Amino acid sequence: MNHHKKMTKFPWWLRLYILPAWFMYGTAFALFFVCGLGIIDPDFGWHLASGRYYWAHGIPTHDIFTFSAQHFLWINHEWLSDMVLAAMYHLGGHVLVALLYAAIWTLAFWLVARRCRLSIIVLVGAIACLPFAGVRAITWTVLCAAVLYELFRASRRTHWLIPFLMLVWANLHGGFIIGLAYIAYRLIARPSWRLAVITAVSVFATTVTPYGAAIYVEIIRTLGDRSLYGRISEWQSLAFSIEVALLAAVWATCRYFYTRSVWRTAFAFPMFLIIGTVMSVRNVPILVIFAVADIAHMMVAVPLPWVRIRERLQAIRPLMIALALIVVSFGGYLLWRDFMLVRVAAESRYPREIAQSLQTGVCSHGNLYNDYNIGGYLIWRAPRQKVYIDGRMPSWQYGGVKIMDNYYRVVRDASFRQREFARFHIVCAAIPADTAFAKELRQSGWKPVIANSAEFTLLKASE
C-alpha cells in the first residue's frame, strides 16, 4: 500500500521509468529467449560438438575437429559450459537451451538491479546486450560478473565465497579475467590483508582446471593478437550501438552526482570497461552489467530528493516522455522482430544441404577448405568431415604460422592456394557462392556439387 501511494505521487510520464518489475524482467526474458531461439551463433556448433565429445571421451589435449591443426595443443577455457550446453541440448533440444540461456541473462540483470526503482534501466541494458545475447558462452561471464558484484555488496563474510566463484568461472568461460581485474580493483581501492588473501586464493583457484595454469595461455594469446580488431566483427573498435552510449552516459552522470568528484568518476571500474568497449565491442555485455549494477546501487544507497528531481524534470517533460516511449517502443519492436525471426528456422541461415552432402561422404577421399563463419556449423552437422578452420582459431599458430593468415592467403594468392591444397590434400571447398574466389575455382576446373545453399556453394576438384 505504501509503495502504491508513493507511486501515485509521480506523474504518468515519470511512471514510464518505473514500470512494474515483472513487466521489465518478463520483457527482458522474452527478448533473450526469442534471440536465442531464432539465431544460431556461428560458434554454437563447435561448442555443442565439444560438449558431446567431453561427455563421451573426456577432455582432449589436441585439436579434434580440424586437419590443419590436428597436433595443436587445444586449451578450451569453456569446456564446462560446453558440457552444460550438450547436456541441456540432449534433454530438450534448442528450445530448452534457449530457455536456459535466457533465464541466465535475466537472472544476471535481476541480481544487480532488483532493488532499483528505475526499472527501465533493465530494458535499456537488455536491448544493449541483444547483439551479444542468445546461446553464447559469454552468458556465463555476465552471470558470474553479476554474482561477483553482489558478493562484494553483501556482508564481508560472503567475500570468502569469491575464490569458489572464480574457480567455477574459470572453467565456464575465459571472461574470468574480468573477475580478477575487478577483485584487484577493489583491493587497490581499499587495501586490506583480508582482501589480499582473497585475491591470491582467487588467482590460484582459476588454475584449478583440466589445463592447470595453462588456462591462461589461450587467453593471453587472444588478448595479445591485434589482428583480431580488423578481422573479427566482435573485436572491432568504436562499433557499439547508441543504446550502449546512452547507458554509459547515464552511468557517468549518476556517478558524478553520487561522488561529486570527476576523479572518482574517471577511475571507477565501469570507466575502464567503457575504454575497453571503445577498443573492442565484445566488451559491451560486461560494461552493461557493471553499469546497471552501479546505477542501481547508487539509486538505492542515496536517498534521492524526488520532489526536486520531479520539478527539474518537469522543465524537460517532452524530452523525458519521448525518451521513455522510444525505449519501450524499441524494446517492443525488437521483441516483434525476433518473433518474426523465429518463424524462419534458425538453421536456414547455414548451408544445411552442404552439411548433409558432406556427411554422406561426397568429399571423403580428401579434405575440405571452408569459410570461417561456417566452420563451427559443419563441425556440428557434418562431423565425418574435418574442417580447415572454425571460430576457435583466429589466434592459433602452428609451425610458426598463424592459421588465420593462411586462411586469408588461400583466397588471395593462387600459387599459395595450390601449395596449401596439395599439402593437405584439399579436394572440396565450402565457400560463399558469389565471390571472386568461387569464380576462380570454377574457372580452374572445380565443379559445383551444390550451387547455392544459404548463399554458400560446395565445389569439388576434378578427379
Side-chain angles (χ1 to χ4, degrees):
M1 182 65 70
N2 290 334
H3 176 70
H4 177 72
K5 287 182 178 179
K6 290 180 181 179
M7 290 283 289
T8 57
K9 294 180 180 179
F10 294 99
W12 69 269
W13 53 275
L14 272 183
R15 290 185 214 167
L16 289 172
Y17 291 84
I18 46 177
L19 290 168
W22 64 266
F23 175 82
M24 285 300 180
Y25 290 109
T27 302
F29 176 83
L31 286 170
F32 291 134
F33 173 63
V34 295
C35 179
L37 192 62
I39 300 174
I40 293 180
D41 184 73
D43 290 337
F44 173 83
W46 73 256
H47 279 299
L48 180 58
S50 299
R52 287 172 169 172
Y53 184 93
Y54 301 157
W55 280 112
H57 308 289
I59 309 288
T61 56
H62 294 77
D63 183 33
I64 58 176
F65 296 130
T66 72
F67 58 84
S68 60
Q70 57 184 327
H71 301 297
F72 185 82
L73 294 173
W74 179 28
I75 299 172
N76 183 9
H77 50 71
E78 297 157 350
W79 72 271
L80 183 56
S81 59
D82 287 353
M83 292 187 73
V84 174
L85 172 64
M88 297 303 292
Y89 192 90
H90 177 75
L91 291 174
H94 195 195
V95 174
L96 182 59
V97 169
L99 284 170
L100 170 65
Y101 278 72
I104 294 173
W105 280 98
T106 308
L107 175 60
F109 278 99
W110 178 82
L111 281 173
V112 299
R114 64 190 185 279
R115 303 183 189 91
C116 179
R117 296 183 65 190
L118 190 66
S119 55
I120 200 171
I121 202 70
V122 173
L123 185 56
V124 174
I127 291 173
C129 285
L130 272 186
F132 310 88
V135 182
R136 305 187 61 187
I138 196 174
T139 307
W140 298 101
T141 276
V142 172
L143 176 62
C144 290
V147 173
L148 179 62
Y149 186 94
E150 287 302 295
L151 286 177
F152 270 112
R153 291 298 181 192
S155 64
R156 296 180 63 184
R157 288 181 297 180
T158 64
H159 292 180
W160 294 106
L161 296 174
I162 291 174
F164 176 74
L165 170 65
M166 296 308 302
L167 185 153
V168 175
W169 194 348
N171 288 278
L172 286 170
H173 190 253
F176 72 87
I177 290 293
I178 295 293
L180 292 180
Y182 184 62
I183 296 170
Y185 171 84
R186 298 289 299 237
L187 176 61
I188 294 171
R190 294 185 178 180
S192 71
W193 284 107
R194 182 170 162 280
L195 188 51
V197 171
I198 291 174
T199 303
V201 176
S202 295
V203 172
F204 173 77
T206 61
T207 66
V208 183
T209 74
Y211 311 99
I215 193 72
Y216 285 90
V217 171
E218 181 68 16
I219 296 171
I220 293 172
R221 176 168 42 226
T222 302
L223 293 178
D225 187 358
R226 302 297 301 176
S227 67
L228 295 178
Y229 294 87
R231 290 176 170 175
I232 310 298
S233 59
E234 286 193 2
W235 285 85
Q236 291 179 355
S237 302
L238 294 170
F240 49 85
S241 63
I242 186 64
E243 305 91 64
V244 178
L246 174 64
L247 185 64
V250 171
W251 169 81
T253 302
C254 292
R255 189 71 187 177
Y256 173 75
F257 284 108
Y258 177 70
T259 62
R260 296 293 180 179
S261 168
V262 173
W263 291 108
R264 291 182 66 183
T265 301
F267 287 97
F269 189 72
M271 185 60 73
F272 295 106
L273 294 177
I274 291 175
I275 296 172
T277 300
V278 171
M279 295 175 60
S280 173
V281 72
R282 67 179 285 113
N283 294 313
V284 162
I286 313 301
L287 166 62
V288 169
I289 204 69
F290 273 100
V292 169
D294 212 28
I295 292 170
H297 168 72
M298 290 184 288
M299 294 198 67
V300 171
V302 179
L304 296 176
W306 288 110
V307 174
R308 189 185 311 167
I309 290 175
R310 185 176 61 183
E311 291 174 352
R312 293 187 178 183
L313 292 180
Q314 187 72 36
I316 55 171
R317 175 182 172 182
L319 177 62
M320 297 298 294
I321 294 174
L323 183 60
L325 291 178
I326 288 172
V327 172
V328 175
S329 300
F330 190 46
Y333 160 73
L334 291 175
L335 191 57
W336 173 83
R337 184 199 65 181
D338 288 348
F339 270 123
M340 292 300 103
L341 286 175
V342 172
R343 295 175 61 183
V344 180
E347 216 174 317
S348 66
R349 299 170 181 83
Y350 292 91
R352 290 180 293 179
E353 295 82 6
I354 290 178
Q356 291 166 0
S357 182
L358 292 171
Q359 189 64 4
T360 61
V362 68
C363 297
S364 58
H365 63 292
N367 285 318
L368 169 77
Y369 177 89
N370 62 280
D371 182 78
Y372 172 83
N373 293 305
I374 63 172
Y377 177 76
L378 296 179
I379 287 172
W380 170 31
R381 287 307 194 189
R384 293 179 57 185
Q385 187 81 51
K386 288 194 173 184
V387 299
Y388 181 86
I389 195 170
D390 62 81
R392 301 168 300 150
M393 305 166 64
S395 299
W396 285 13
Q397 294 189 35
Y398 186 65
V401 179
K402 286 185 63 176
I403 297 172
M404 196 75 167
D405 290 344
N406 284 350
Y407 165 75
Y408 282 112
R409 192 175 176 187
V410 164
V411 177
R412 298 191 307 264
D413 188 338
S415 60
F416 175 79
R417 179 192 314 151
Q418 187 175 4
R419 295 195 302 270
E420 188 79 348
F421 282 14
R423 173 190 175 196
F424 289 115
H425 188 44
I426 294 174
V427 298
C428 288
I431 56 179
D434 297 325
T435 60
F437 180 32
K439 183 178 180 180
E440 283 184 39
L441 289 181
R442 289 193 297 268
Q443 289 175 343
S444 62
W446 287 56
K447 304 297 183 183
V449 178
I450 296 176
N452 194 303
S453 175
E455 298 184 359
F456 287 89
T457 183
L458 177 63
L459 301 173
K460 188 176 181 179
S462 56
E463 300 179 3

